Every structure is written in structure tokens, then in C-alpha cells.
Amino acid sequence: MRFLAIGECMAELAPTAAQGDYHLGFAGDTFNTAWYLARIRPDIAVAYFTAVGTDTISQKMREAFSQSGIDDRHVQALPDRTVGLYLISLDNGERSFSYWRGQSAARQLAQDPQALSQAMGDADLVYFSGITLAILDAASRETLLKALRNARAVGKTIAFDPNLRPSLWSEPSLMIDTIMQGAAVSDIVLPSFEDEARWYQDADPTATADRYVSAGATTVVVKNGPDPVHYIQDGVTGTVPVPLLSSIVDTTAAGDSFNAAIMAGLEGGTPLPDCILNACRMAGQVVQGKGALVPLDPGFLDQ
Ligand code: AMP
């Protein structure tokens, strides 16, 4: 199986134990999912589609892709741009984020329809998110949605996490409409209920799943923090309880890792409720570690 994630990876500066020192890393929702998928399924060819610059930090990001087992052949290098950056601040254990991504190269990732169709042609499963859509201008969004529609029409599977981030959109109504367009080109939709309830007034996770089925998805898995995961697959619905955890360290990338486990399981023909249980166990490990990219327990990887 060949997997392609489309989106923005950013440089991350995270505080270290030494006052005033920061560690440079790389993270971003679709990249995190690719990273976890490459960890748990080394047999899957994992590729990332984005745009970076040609400067040293962009080069380091590409090296990070390769070192993580992620193919960078579809990464475009734009000479006059660089990658986005965010810095994590800690105040009494509370994390807050400052972003510099307004001019990032990734905002131009979907300007070349040829590059998109070629990359999707090399994949069986294509994954993108609401953040991927949010960072693009209107014309690029159309180009990306059209390429995804075409890929689906020739038998590729399209997976989408709405990942609602109102701060990335000029106005909420644009986010609300565009996310539904993303869902309309997708087979698998992987939303988080808390965000969905707020922006779509869904009364419960069933309403979220039904809305995405109406948009055209065949499989919807609704994450809901520690509460049961609701799913619908080809008209069959159910819920899977989330195993209880004694401590939560940092919920960054919980949903991203969860999505990787769902796609890994579905690809292997695992029944969806079992995929969900595995995804909860994986996300359960991720929330008990710091940062987006948490090393997984070898016992988990061996399964
Ligand atoms: P979310 O996107 O926040 O709904 O979370 C994605 C997944 O991470 C959930 O479906 C759970 O499997 C896991 N998760 C998140 N928060 C918790 C928590 N407090 N306790 C246990 N698992 C959690």
C-alpha cells in the first residue's frame, strides 16, 4: 500500500529543561500522522506532499522526513520561501503557541495541478486535513479539491480529518463551508466531536457522523477525547469505549496518531471496531508523552 499525506510541516521550537534553551523539531498535523504510520507500519510506503524553501532549515526538514522513513520525492522546493515556525512557551506547566506561518512555502503546495495528480497517482490512500485547506488561497483550494475528486474517481481512497482551526480562516462561515467540500471528496472522515459540536451545532457524535455521510463519506470515525468513539461504516453504526488512563501529560497529536492507526488497520482489513480500539491504545500512549512525536512502546509496535 502506498500512502500520501498532503499538508504543512513546521519547524518547532520547544523549551528544554535549561532556562532559555529551545530544541528544534518538526511537526504538523498531517506530518504527525505520516510519522506515526511510518512507525507502526514500515511495510507501507509513506510519502509527504508539501512545499518548503531551499534554505538550510528546509533542508533539515527534508532530512527529518527521510530519517522518519517518509519519502520526500513529492516535496516541492520554492527558492523564495521557507518553512513555517512555531514556538512553545511554558507558563506553570501550561503550553501556549506562537506561530510564524503566514508566508510559509506550504501555502503554495497546491499551485501545480500536475504535481498533485502525479503524487496522487503514486498513492493508494491520500490523506489531508482542514488545516491543509485552511492554509491555501481560494484558487489553490479548488485545485486541491479537484485533484482529490479526480483521484477518488479513479479508485484512490481519500481520508480527511476536518481539524477545525478557526484562527486559520478569514471567517468561520468559510471554514464551515470548505470543510464540507473536503468531506465531499472523501471516503473516510475522522473528525473530533468537541470542535464539530461547536461549529456545526451537532447534538451528539451520531449527528456528526450522519452529516459527513450525507456529504459523501462511507466511513466516519468520531473521536471524543476520553469519551466513546462513535463510528459509521457502510451504514453500520457503533461505539467503542476509550480505555481509561491514569494520567494525561500532553494531548498534542492524539488525534493525528489515532488517525494513523485507523488507516493502518483499515488497509490491513481489520474490522473497524478493532481498528478503533487499537487507535485508542496508540493515542493513549501519545497523550502520556510530551510533544507531537512520542516514541511508541516497543510492545505496541510488535503487535
Ligand atoms: P480527540 O481528538 O481529543 O478527541 O482525541 C483523540 C483520541 O485520543 C481519543 O479518541 C482517545 O483515544 C485519545 N484521548 C484523548 N484524550 C484522552 C483522555 N483524556 N483519556 C484517554 N484517551 C484520550
Side-chain angles (χ1 to χ4, degrees):
M1 204 274 278
R2 300 163 304 166
F3 174 82
L4 179 75
I6 303 176
E8 178 176 27
C9 181
M10 282 177 287
E12 175 196 85
L13 287 177
T16 66
Q19 181 80 19
D21 280 357
Y22 290 83
H23 173 262
L24 173 66
F26 297 101
D29 67 333
T30 46
F31 168 70
N32 302 340
T33 298
W35 190 88
Y36 282 107
L37 187 60
R39 295 275 86 59
I40 57 170
R41 288 290 298 276
D43 58 311
I44 293 180
V46 177
Y48 198 54
F49 186 97
T50 191
V52 299
T54 52
D55 54 352
T56 306
I57 182 97
S58 299
Q59 195 51 44
K60 278 191 192 299
M61 182 181 280
R62 293 185 84 135
E63 283 163 16
F65 293 165
S66 302
Q67 283 161 10
S68 313
I70 298 171
D71 187 338
D72 73 341
R73 87 181 60 177
H74 296 297
V75 174
Q76 302 158 74
L78 310 178
D80 53 346
R81 292 261 169 162
T82 186
V83 299
L85 166 74
Y86 68 98
L87 180 138
I88 303 171
S89 301
L90 270 181
D91 188 14
N92 289 329
E94 277 294 307
R95 288 154 60 99
S96 64
F97 298 84
S98 306
Y99 289 94
W100 294 265
R101 71 194 305 187
Q103 290 298 310
S104 79
R107 289 184 178 259
Q108 308 204 332
L109 68 84
Q111 293 196 340
D112 180 357
Q114 282 274 36
L116 279 168
S117 71
Q118 198 175 347
M120 291 185 200
D122 285 348
D124 306 300
L125 172 56
V126 180
Y127 174 70
F128 73 115
S129 79
I131 295 179
T132 312
L133 292 172
I135 62 168
L136 304 178
D137 62 28
S140 299
R141 243 173 237 148
E142 278 309 310
T143 305
L144 175 61
L145 289 170
K146 188 173 172 197
L148 290 162
R149 207 174 293 122
N150 291 343
R152 192 184 190 196
V154 297
K156 313 289 181 185
T157 302
I158 313 296
F160 175 57
D161 184 337
N163 240 334
L164 300 166
R165 295 287 184 280
S167 60
L168 293 177
W169 296 86
S170 56
E171 50 186 312
S173 62
L174 182 62
M175 173 180 80
I176 288 165
D177 291 350
T178 313
I179 292 298
M180 293 313 289
Q181 291 174 34
V185 301
S186 302
D187 301 285
I188 302 168
V189 180
L190 304 165
S192 287
F193 179 64
E194 200 180 11
D195 299 337
E196 302 289 328
R198 169 150 189 228
W199 294 103
Y200 292 95
Q201 285 79 48
D202 296 335
D204 51 34
T206 311
T208 303
D210 290 347
R211 179 166 48 77
Y212 285 122
V213 167
S214 301
T218 51
T219 300
V220 183
V221 179
V222 187
K223 295 159 274 181
N224 196 7
D227 293 328
V229 177
H230 177 81
Y231 67 85
I232 182 161
Q233 184 182 38
D234 298 325
V236 178
T237 63
T239 54
V240 176
V242 175
L244 196 64
L245 296 176
S246 52
S247 70
I248 308 289
V249 175
D250 175 1
T251 57
T252 305
D256 304 334
S257 63
F258 181 102
N259 294 351
I262 293 290
M263 290 187 280
L266 286 177
E267 190 278 329
T270 306
L272 185 55
D274 296 339
C275 299
I276 292 171
L277 187 56
N278 222 24
C280 290
R281 292 178 53 243
M282 171 123 150
Q285 284 202 25
V286 171
V287 300
Q288 290 180 86
K290 270 195 188 147
L293 308 179
V294 175
L296 298 169
D297 180 353
F300 186 87
L301 296 176
D302 288 346
Q303 287 175 42

